[in-house]
Each structure stands twice: as structure tokens, then as C-alpha cells.
Amino acid sequence: MWLFALPALSINVVIILIPALLTIALAFCQWDGLSMPVFVGLANFNAVFADRVFWIALGNNIKWTLIFLTVPIAIGLFAATLLLLIHRGRTLFQIVYFMPVVVATAITARVWQGMIYNPNTGVFGLLQRFGIELADPLAHTETALYGIAAVDLWHWWGFLAVIFLAALRQVPQEMVEAARLDGAGFFGLLRHILIPAIAPTIKLMMVMTVIWSFLVFDFVYILTQGGPAYSSEVLSTLAYRNAFFEFDLGRAAAVALVIALFGLTATFAYVRLQAREGAN
């Protein structure tokens, strides 16, 4: 039987395991991409931890994770519950909600940057003509990260709504109808019946959110490239800057290992949680 798994296993070894091992080895070397790598021990990690930009980027990743663990999951769950309770137009709403997910990231980012945030040609500029002053959030250090997060939230929450709706449709209708006959309102139904019934799906999406939040790169790089003044820098853009602007691939690998550490921690927590629930 193991022969059937051999093709997938070979692909994973070539594409994932070998590059991962090389990245780990590179984190302990100094390498500019051209000369021979030189073993430097923990020097790359010492340099990373002494860099204030690293701590700014780590803080931004943590803020990003907290935002995406709460806002899109709450909106997606709320929207999915509404879709569960309605019948007319459900498919249309699913398509509308899911549409931002299939739009290319670069297009979404440029639309928000040019048609919404832009103070001259965007919606913000139009509002200014009516006396509503809204500054471009991407141009200010205090708001740049949240401006990017708003774009990604718009792009992302519909995906969660569709996933949660698929899980909610597996809940026996008899339970839902019985709760409604007992007088359960919308929030009572959500709290006591629907959320407990799809708790495994919610936990899985939360774990994946933690992993994806520490891998975030595209929207940040397209919209601000980590600026202004590193205010929206995240670990992925920092690793990219180290590798392709400063040609310090060892230091970039050290940052990549920090990113992987958070992903592995979230995965380990999810596996332990699932094992504990299985034992119970």
C-alpha cells in the first residue's frame, strides 16, 4: 500500500523537506547568494533579535493575527448563519460573498489603493469634497497596517462565510427546528446550537488563520512594502528585504525559521486539542 503514497511522498520530499532542511542550515551561515556559505553559528539569530525592525515586524504580525482571529471569523460566522436561515437568494449571496476571494491579490490591492484610499481619485477624495476628511491610511505610520488589514479583511471574510455555511448545513435541521420551537432567538440559536455543532471547523479555521497571518506578504508588499518607516513591516517582508535587497540570505533564513516556529506551534496546539477531544 505504501507504493500508492510514494508519488506524493516524493513530491513532498523534493518540494518541502529538502528546501526546509536547506533553510535551517542556511540560518546558521553567512551567504550573499554568490559566494560559498560560511558557518557563523547563532550570529544570524543574534543580529535578528538585536534589530528593532524585527520586533516591529513581529508586533505587527501579532496585531494582524489578533485582527484576523476575531473580525473576519465573527463576520463570516454571522453571515453564514443568516444564509442558513434564508432560502431565497442564498446561492446569489454565496457567489457575491465569495467573489473577492477569486480576484487576484494585485488587482484587489490596486483597486483599494487607487479607487478607495486615494485622496484625489478615490472614494476618500470624493468624500473630502463633501467635507468629510479622511486621510489615506497607507500614508501614515499609525494607520498603515490597519489600512492593509482592511483590504485583506474584505478579501477574506467571504471565504470563511462559505466554509462556515458548508459546516452549518451539516447540522441536523431537527435540532435547529426544535430550538426555534423552544423559543430560541437568532443569537440563542447561534450560541447554544450552531457554534457548538461546528466548533471543530471554527478551531481549524482559527489555526489556519494563525499560520496564514504569519505568512502574510502579498497585500503588505504591494500596498506599502512595509512602510512608511517600517510601520507596516511584517516578518515575511523583512525576510524578503534581507534576502533580495541586502543579500543576506542567512539572516533571511533565520527570520523564516521564526515564522515557521509560530506555524508549527499553532499546528501542534491544534493536534493536541484534537487528540484530547478524541480521547474524551
Side-chain angles (χ1 to χ4, degrees):
M1 292 294 291
W2 62 272
L3 286 175
F4 291 103
L6 191 58
L9 186 63
S10 301
I11 293 173
N12 283 341
V13 168
V14 172
I15 295 179
I16 297 176
L17 181 60
I18 293 176
L21 294 176
L22 289 175
T23 301
I24 294 173
L26 193 57
F28 298 94
C29 298
Q30 184 179 19
W31 190 40
D32 59 6
L34 297 175
S35 59
M36 288 295 293
V38 178
F39 181 76
V40 293
L42 297 174
N44 287 325
F45 290 96
N46 292 334
V48 166
F49 295 144
D51 184 2
R52 72 174 186 88
V53 178
F54 167 78
W55 295 106
I56 293 173
L58 179 60
N60 286 338
N61 271 111
I62 293 173
K63 292 176 185 174
W64 190 280
T65 303
L66 294 176
I67 291 171
F68 278 80
L69 277 176
T70 51
V71 178
I73 288 180
I75 296 175
L77 192 58
F78 184 77
T81 307
L82 290 177
L83 289 178
L84 181 72
L85 299 178
I86 67 171
H87 298 286
R88 178 175 294 182
R90 178 189 294 172
T91 303
L92 176 63
F93 280 112
Q94 287 185 68
I95 294 172
V96 172
Y97 290 168
F98 196 75
M99 195 173 295
V101 181
V102 302
V103 178
T105 301
I107 294 174
T108 301
R110 290 306 182 196
V111 166
W112 275 76
Q113 191 176 37
M115 300 178 65
I116 296 178
Y117 287 153
N118 192 298
N120 297 317
T121 61
V123 175
F124 280 28
L126 181 64
L127 292 175
Q128 285 182 8
R129 296 173 191 173
F130 294 98
I132 302 174
E133 294 292 335
L134 290 174
D136 182 357
L138 303 179
H140 299 274
T141 56
E142 300 83 5
T143 55
L145 182 71
Y146 303 107
I148 302 167
V151 179
D152 205 358
L153 285 171
W154 178 83
H155 173 259
W156 181 240
W157 75 267
F159 171 78
L160 293 177
V162 173
I163 294 293
F164 289 147
L165 177 62
L168 289 172
R169 295 179 74 170
Q170 304 305 314
V171 179
Q173 282 299 306
E174 295 80 7
M175 292 176 58
V176 177
E177 293 301 327
R180 297 178 77 173
L181 288 174
D182 288 340
F186 176 80
F187 290 103
L189 185 66
L190 190 63
R191 177 183 177 186
H192 298 292
I193 302 296
L194 299 179
I195 289 180
I198 65 167
T201 302
I202 297 174
K203 292 173 184 173
L204 176 61
M205 287 296 101
M206 294 182 77
V207 171
M208 297 307 297
T209 296
V210 173
I211 295 172
W212 290 328
S213 294
F214 277 90
L215 296 176
V216 61
F217 175 84
D218 44 10
F219 280 118
V220 177
Y221 194 76
I222 294 171
L223 291 171
T224 65
Q225 296 186 341
Y230 303 111
S231 61
S232 62
E233 191 84 88
V234 291
L235 293 176
S236 296
T237 55
L238 177 61
Y240 184 84
R241 188 190 309 279
N242 290 154
F244 299 107
F245 286 85
E246 300 172 5
F247 300 104
D248 191 343
L249 276 76
R251 193 164 163 177
V255 175
L257 289 188
V258 174
I259 297 172
L261 178 65
F262 283 95
L264 290 174
T265 302
T267 305
F268 179 75
Y270 177 72
V271 171
R272 287 294 304 269
L273 191 62
Q274 289 296 99
R276 184 180 301 174
E277 289 181 353
N280 293 334

